[in-house]
């Protein structure tokens, strides 16, 4: 039944390819343009359009994912020549397993965020829904584009929308964090332009596939300038990936944003990770001649330092939104360090870990908003400086009389946990398990896959005698140590917010608030249940990334669609004057 439905979807998608690749970009663009024509008072109508458009985008992304992973096909590449000009002269969109996976992840997080926002946050400011759709347009374009110039264009669309979304809800903390966020991203955009200009001056092209063909042929005298251009360009992407020490802006900005915006912003660091992974494996693969694997050590060291910074930041955080922000940094550092090794098996493990950590961080941002509101009896800002007393002690630190505890501090009469409180507790517990990498959820599976690849880089039956080296052992130790620190930080926050809440009223949750969190965490459980097929998908994705020949040939050999046949007017009989 499932195989038949999959085959039907793949067949229908094949009939619409390659034009269906434009849908993830065009759909949010048209939706945002339509909503800009509506009056701001039409909140309910805009919310409906936003949810429907995002859900339709998710269906399109799922169809593209199934098409890109057809059984028996080593690589299903979709190439769309937007202006009907052959690469590298025209705008090109390219779809493979990696870009399709990122499209699905974006649509899932976006749908959960907009449903959560529908409960209250979407009415906190103007133009929320158009900005949300423009953000999705920029994200989809960044994942699909096949040239650096249009990557810059989509980056700017994404960043321009994020500026407005960060300020949504107003307030001094958001304005202050927004100014820092805008300043650092303008600097990153400037570096992006400088790096792209230098690359164009050296190679004469900005098409990614054409760059991959040209870089091995660069003259030795220009090789240093090429590496400088790549380093400048990588710095812009590393700022978005929140590498240390360029990530000082992330936690204040993400924690100041409203909950649905913070959940959506969890994808922003993954855009930097995606871009680095795409360009590094394409431009500086093992086939890049003298530039092969350029910058790998810098990626590893930067990732390791980012992991340590994120874990220590979590340990020193008190607010839940700060914990979520540092968790995003920790996840980003883990992915960067693993990507720098350039190993197929390790890349497959990090590609499995990427969606699960993103889903968990997004769910933690949403859960933190509900917990803070519950803690502060509905207020939007929780007084985290005030500590709760232990439930069985009074102000003098002696047992409170009349409390439902005996002399041994054992409960006399059981109390039923309210359903809303149980949902928040379970959601926080699941987020903790995934972020800390504890069994049995997908965070543990992803970390075990990466650790196994570190110890067995050639596979279980072929790695005898190989050693991970100092970088490998450092990553191995840091993955375990940072997981422990994350567990301590999140456990401490859980004790504070759930175990020390004896006099707090039951939280008031709406279905639109609880359902998105439950779905995001259910997907983490689903990734665990179907870990085998998912790992097969990520392994195929990693193999294609580290063998870029298929990508290069698909883009460079894509032919324009011939135009309609025109009759030569010279052969027509001339009319008499």
């Amino acid at each position: 039944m499932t195989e038949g439905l999959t085959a039907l979807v793949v067949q229908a998608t094949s009939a619409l390819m390659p034009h269906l690749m434009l849908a993830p970009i065009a759909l949010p663009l048209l939706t945002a343009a339509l909503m800009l024509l509506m009056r701001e008072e039409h909140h309910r109508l805009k919310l409906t359009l936003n949810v429907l458009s995002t859900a339709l985008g998710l269906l399109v992304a799922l169809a593209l994912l199934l098409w890109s992973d057809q059984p028996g096909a080593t690589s299903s590449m979709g190439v769309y020549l937007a202006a009907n000009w052959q690469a590298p002269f025209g705008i090109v969109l390219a779809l493979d397993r990696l870009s399709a996976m990122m499209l699905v992840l974006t649509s899932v997080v976006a749908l959960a965020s907009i449903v959560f926002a529908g409960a209250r946050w979407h009415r906190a400011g103007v133009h929320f829904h158009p900005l949300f759709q423009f953000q999705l347009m920029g994200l989809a374009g960044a994942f699909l584009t096949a040239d650096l110039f249009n990557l810059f264009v989509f980056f700017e669309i994404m960043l321009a929308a994020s500026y407005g979304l960060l300020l949504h809800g107003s307030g001094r903390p958001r304005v202050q964090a927004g100014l820092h966020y805008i300043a650092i991203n303008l600097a990153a955009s400037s570096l992006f332009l400088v790096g792209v200009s230098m690359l164009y001056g050296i190679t004469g092209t900005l098409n990614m596939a054409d760059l991959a063909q040209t870089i091995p042929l660069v003259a030795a005298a220009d090789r240093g300038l090429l590496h400088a251009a790549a380093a400048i360009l990588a710095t812009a992407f590393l700022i978005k990936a929140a590498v240390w020490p360029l990530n000082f802006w992330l936690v204040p900005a993400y924690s100041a944003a409203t909950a649905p915006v913070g959940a959506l912003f969890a994808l922003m660091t993954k855009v930097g990770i995606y871009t680095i992974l795409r360009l590094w494996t394409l431009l500086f693969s093992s086939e890049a001649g003298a530039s092969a694997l350029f910058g790998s050590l810098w990626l590893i060291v930067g990732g390791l330092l980012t992991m340590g910074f994120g874990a220590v930041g979590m340990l020193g955080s008190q607010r839940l939104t700060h914990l979520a922000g540092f968790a995003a940094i920790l996840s980003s550092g883990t992915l960067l360090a693993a990507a720098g090794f350039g190993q197929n098996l390790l890349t497959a493990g990090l590609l499995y870990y990427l969606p699960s950590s993103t889903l968990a961080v997004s769910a933690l941002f949403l859960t933190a908003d509900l917990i803070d509101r519950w803690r502060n009896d509905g207020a939007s800002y929780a007084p985290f400086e005030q500590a709760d007393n232990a439930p069985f002690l009074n102000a003098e630190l002696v047992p409170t009389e009349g409390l439902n505890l005996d002399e041994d501090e054992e409960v006399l009469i059981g109390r039923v946990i309210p359903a809303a409180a149980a949902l928040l507790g379970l959601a926080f517990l699941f987020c903790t398990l995934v972020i800390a990498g504890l069994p049995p959820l997908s965070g543990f599976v992803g970390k075990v896959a990466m650790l196994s690849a570190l110890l067995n880089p050639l596979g279980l039956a072929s790695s005898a005698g190989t050693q991970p080296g100092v970088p490998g052992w450092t990553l191995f130790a840091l993955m375990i140590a940072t997981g422990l620190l994350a567990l301590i930080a999140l456990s401490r926050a859980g004790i504070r917010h759930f175990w020390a809440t004896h006099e707090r009223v039951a939280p008031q949750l709406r279905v639109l608030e609880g359902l998105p969190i439950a779905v995001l965490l259910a997907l983490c459980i689903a990734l665990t249940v179907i870990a085998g097929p998912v790992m097969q998908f990520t392994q195929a994705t990693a193999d294609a990334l580290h063998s870029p020949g298929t990508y290069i040939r698909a883009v460079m050999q894509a032919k324009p669609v011939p135009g309609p046949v025109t009759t030569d007017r010279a052969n027509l009989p001339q009319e008499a004057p």
Side-chain angles (χ1 to χ4, degrees):
M1 180 66 180
T2 304
E3 294 180 357
L5 180 61
T6 301
L8 184 62
V9 172
V10 170
Q11 184 178 1
T13 305
S14 300
L16 297 174
M17 290 294 289
H19 304 287
L20 189 64
M21 293 170 51
L22 195 61
I25 301 173
L27 181 61
L29 173 63
L30 296 176
T31 305
L34 178 61
M35 289 191 290
L36 285 174
L37 301 176
M38 301 178 183
R39 294 176 61 87
E40 194 59 39
E41 292 81 3
H42 298 156
H43 295 293
R44 197 177 296 272
L45 179 58
K46 287 186 176 181
L47 175 63
T48 303
L49 283 176
N50 202 341
V51 172
L52 291 178
S53 176
T54 307
L56 182 58
L58 175 58
L59 294 178
V60 171
L62 288 171
L64 293 175
L65 180 70
L66 293 175
W67 181 86
S68 67
D69 190 40
Q70 298 180 44
T74 57
S75 177
S76 297
M77 281 285 302
V79 179
Y80 183 80
L81 305 178
N84 207 31
W85 283 76
Q86 188 170 1
F89 305 107
I91 297 174
V92 181
L93 302 179
L95 175 81
D96 61 357
R97 289 183 177 92
L98 178 60
S99 53
M101 183 187 78
M102 297 304 296
L103 286 176
V104 172
L105 179 62
T106 299
S107 298
V108 168
V109 174
L111 186 58
S113 299
I114 190 56
V115 171
F116 186 93
R120 59 181 71 221
W121 280 117
H122 75 112
R123 300 188 300 271
V126 297
H127 301 309
F128 173 79
H129 296 287
L131 289 172
F132 192 94
Q133 287 295 311
F134 281 129
Q135 177 88 1
L136 297 186
M137 174 191 172
L139 289 168
F143 296 140
L144 288 172
T145 187
D147 65 89
L148 290 180
F149 178 78
N150 286 287
L151 180 63
F152 175 78
V153 171
F154 286 118
F155 257 60
E156 292 307 300
I157 293 173
M158 175 182 65
L159 291 176
S162 68
Y163 300 153
L165 289 175
L166 178 58
L167 296 175
H168 180 72
S170 68
R172 181 176 178 178
R174 294 190 179 101
V175 174
Q176 183 177 3
L179 290 175
H180 296 163
Y181 178 78
I182 292 173
I184 189 63
N185 279 286
L186 287 177
S189 298
S190 300
L191 292 174
F192 196 146
L193 283 178
V194 171
V196 165
S197 301
M198 292 177 66
L199 277 178
Y200 184 74
I202 297 168
T203 62
T205 183
L206 291 179
N207 183 278
M208 296 178 186
D210 199 28
L211 277 169
Q213 290 182 329
T214 306
I215 283 178
L217 307 178
V218 172
D222 295 331
R223 187 71 57 179
L225 190 60
L226 171 69
H227 291 171
I232 293 173
L233 187 63
T235 303
F237 300 142
L238 289 172
I239 290 176
K240 292 309 303 172
V243 72
W244 185 87
L246 305 176
N247 53 16
F248 59 89
W249 55 271
L250 188 143
V251 175
Y254 285 24
S255 61
T258 60
V261 173
L264 185 64
F265 278 8
L267 290 165
M268 300 283 278
T269 56
K270 302 308 183 289
V271 176
I273 298 293
Y274 165 84
T275 310
I276 290 172
L277 193 60
R278 170 71 71 191
L279 292 180
W280 188 65
T281 56
L282 190 61
L283 307 186
F284 300 106
S285 67
S286 57
E287 304 172 3
S291 297
L293 303 181
F294 167 72
S296 60
L297 185 60
W298 288 102
L299 288 179
I300 296 173
V301 173
L304 295 176
L305 293 174
T306 305
M307 290 174 65
F309 176 80
V312 173
M314 291 186 69
L315 199 61
S317 297
Q318 298 293 325
R319 297 181 59 182
L320 290 177
T321 50
H322 285 185
L323 278 171
F326 281 111
I329 292 176
L330 174 58
S331 169
S332 181
T334 304
L335 295 170
L336 276 175
F341 285 86
Q343 299 176 4
N344 292 37
L345 294 177
L346 191 54
T347 302
L350 76 88
L351 289 176
Y352 179 92
Y353 179 74
L354 187 152
S356 63
S357 63
T358 305
L359 294 172
V361 172
S362 298
L364 184 57
F365 271 111
L366 300 181
T367 306
D369 179 66
L370 302 180
I371 294 176
D372 280 346
R373 193 197 320 155
W374 176 34
R375 176 188 175 94
N376 212 31
D377 294 332
S380 60
Y381 184 78
F384 60 93
E385 296 86 356
Q386 300 177 2
D388 292 319
N389 293 325
F392 54 87
L393 300 179
N394 59 19
E396 288 75 25
L397 300 181
V398 296
T400 304
E401 296 182 3
L403 198 63
N404 187 25
L405 297 169
D406 59 16
E407 295 179 353
D408 296 326
E409 299 172 5
E410 296 291 333
V411 176
L412 295 175
I413 302 174
R415 295 181 181 179
V416 177
I417 301 177
L423 174 63
L424 292 181
L426 289 174
F428 189 84
L429 174 62
F430 282 17
C431 290
T432 299
L433 293 176
V434 176
I435 293 172
L438 294 179
L441 297 184
S442 54
F444 173 75
V445 178
K447 284 194 173 183
V448 167
M450 288 187 284
L451 293 175
S452 300
L454 279 174
L455 298 178
N456 303 281
L458 303 178
L460 291 175
S462 307
S463 299
T466 59
Q467 295 294 328
V470 175
W473 284 118
T474 305
L475 177 58
F476 189 95
L478 266 182
M479 287 182 66
I480 297 175
T482 54
L484 177 60
L485 294 180
L487 175 63
I488 294 173
L490 291 167
S491 299
R492 180 185 60 192
I495 291 172
R496 184 177 187 184
H497 288 87
F498 293 98
W499 287 6
T501 58
H502 59 288
E503 294 180 350
R504 192 178 305 170
V505 297
Q508 301 295 324
L509 303 184
R510 300 181 182 181
V511 175
L512 291 181
E513 294 172 329
L515 182 61
I517 298 174
V519 170
L520 291 177
L521 297 176
L523 290 175
C524 292
I525 298 175
L527 285 174
T528 308
V529 174
I530 58 172
V534 174
M535 283 299 300
Q536 291 177 3
F537 175 88
T538 58
Q539 186 63 64
T541 306
D543 292 341
L545 280 175
H546 291 286
S547 300
T550 302
Y551 183 97
I552 297 171
R553 287 191 297 272
V555 172
M556 299 304 297
Q557 295 177 4
K559 300 297 182 182
V561 178
V565 178
T566 57
T567 306
D568 189 358
R569 296 182 61 86
N571 296 329
L572 294 176
Q574 300 293 324
E575 297 181 0

